Amino acid sequence: MIEFKNVSKIYPNGTRGLNKLNVTIERGEFIVIVGLSGAGKSTFLRSINRLHEITEGEILVNKQSITNAKGNDLYAIRRDIGMIFQNFNLVRRSSVMRNVLSGRVGYHSTLRMIFGLFPKRDKELAFQALERVRLQEKAYVRADQLSGGQQQRVSIARALAQEATIILADEPVASLDPLTTKQVMDDLARINQDLNITMVVNLHSIDLAKQYASRIIGLRDGEVVFDGPVREATDEV
Ligand code: ADP
Ligand code: ADP
């Protein structure tokens, strides 16, 4: 569950990213956020896991305020949220396995991580996650040896290994070709269905949004201009 209560985000230079947003997202929904460049899609996503601070209002994640959380409470909330970026954000020179294991970092002490001491359970989780995206055979390949679509599936596996209940994906297929786009979106859809993981995905293609979303939210100038099921969405949203 994600709840935006009267949320505004104004950037330090005065640009308004979000304007008094009220949105509630339930567990298991597949939300696609659409809107033109500059509509506020990234700002919306980054607000959920507090990659940046909002200016006004409050955001609840699984009934807890991430806006006011501090220290360990903030870590605990963030552990529930996996993030996927357009450019994959992998450590390119590290193995696929290492990248997926980095989803486990929040569960352990810093010292343990510096020495790469991951318990066996973590490796099991990482392998399971790689199986879900059909990349278990690539576990010990360097991340930058994989194609773009495979790298994006590694970043999905990282979120799964993290045991996130929410996945935020900021233009996850923007740099991929149509075939690879379908593979990545199909994986997200399957994971949403099989594991009941809430998806919040920014896309600029309304066609893709209609194929995959259970609900579409249209943004313009930081405001919600459409919010509803796919069948009600027009090409204008
Ligand atoms: P998007 O693909 O979501 O439109 P952009 O390419 O506009 O993203 O933005 C890329 C990066 O630049 C982001 O980190 C964003 O926060 C930052 N950015 C976007 N617009 C501005 C701006 N007007 N001033 C400063 N930084 C910006
Ligand atoms: P979208 O993801 O829909 O392209 P963004 O959320 O990136 O839109 O941007 C929403 C508005 O906020 C735009 O006007 C953009 O220029 C502005 N913006 C985004 N990031 C920054 C930033 N770091 N500094 C200033 N303005 C920004």
Side-chain angles (χ1 to χ4, degrees):
M1 199 273 290
I2 303 165
E3 193 174 357
F4 277 62
K5 292 162 110 171
N6 204 35
V7 172
S8 297
K9 165 70 182 174
I10 298 165
Y11 286 99
N13 68 1
T15 308
R16 187 175 284 278
L18 297 177
N19 191 16
K20 298 188 186 303
L21 239 57
N22 288 290
V23 174
T24 302
I25 295 171
E26 303 294 345
R27 178 89 202 253
E29 285 195 277
F30 195 124
I31 305 282
V32 175
I33 314 283
V34 296
L36 299 175
S37 185
K41 303 184 297 296
S42 290
T43 306
F44 182 85
L45 229 59
R46 285 158 187 267
S47 298
I48 296 173
N49 60 351
R50 221 169 116 188
L51 273 187
H52 59 201
E53 302 291 336
I54 55 175
T55 318
E56 188 193 349
E58 188 177 20
I59 297 173
L60 306 184
V61 176
N62 295 333
K63 299 202 159 69
Q64 288 178 291
S65 171
I66 188 163
T67 310
N68 299 319
K70 293 194 181 72
N72 285 339
D73 291 340
L74 180 58
Y75 275 120
I77 299 173
R78 281 206 176 121
R79 265 207 309 251
D80 262 335
I81 309 173
M83 183 107 189
I84 292 169
F85 300 89
Q86 176 178 345
N87 62 3
F88 323 132
N89 268 34
L90 300 178
V91 182
R92 300 176 53 83
R93 290 167 164 279
S94 289
S95 71
V96 165
M97 187 58 159
R98 274 254 154 198
N99 274 283
V100 176
L101 276 171
S102 73
R104 304 296 304 162
V105 163
Y107 287 86
H108 305 295
S109 71
T110 315
L111 198 62
R112 190 157 201 171
M113 289 307 106
I114 289 169
F115 293 104
L117 300 171
F118 290 92
K120 198 161 145 244
R121 161 110 182 111
D122 288 359
K123 289 194 179 145
E124 284 165 10
L125 278 168
F127 260 116
Q128 279 171 21
L130 281 171
E131 273 173 23
R132 283 215 177 257
V133 296
R134 294 157 285 108
L135 284 175
Q136 63 275 27
E137 259 123 64
K138 301 285 186 190
Y140 295 104
V141 171
R142 241 172 71 162
D144 58 7
Q145 308 280 308
L146 301 185
S147 70
Q150 289 172 330
Q151 289 189 46
Q152 195 56 296
R153 279 150 52 209
V154 172
S155 81
I156 295 171
R158 179 176 55 193
L160 292 179
Q162 186 187 326
E163 295 182 290
T165 61
I166 296 166
I167 290 182
L168 310 177
D170 197 357
E171 301 277 359
V173 294
S175 64
L176 304 178
D177 63 56
L179 181 67
T180 327
T181 290
K182 182 170 163 25
Q183 290 172 348
V184 168
M185 291 304 298
D186 283 352
D187 274 346
L188 291 176
R190 207 160 25 77
I191 287 161
N192 168 251
Q193 298 227 318
D194 292 353
L195 302 177
N196 200 34
I197 291 178
T198 309
M199 296 285 168
V200 189
V201 182
N202 287 353
L203 295 175
H204 56 248
S205 157
I206 182 77
D207 284 339
L208 266 189
K210 284 179 171 175
Q211 275 178 55
Y212 289 95
S214 62
R215 172 177 158 205
I216 294 178
I217 297 176
L219 294 182
R220 188 190 300 150
D221 297 333
E223 298 188 2
V224 174
V225 292
F226 177 87
D227 184 352
V230 172
R231 64 188 138 76
E232 289 171 16
T234 65
D235 291 336
E236 306 297 305
V237 302

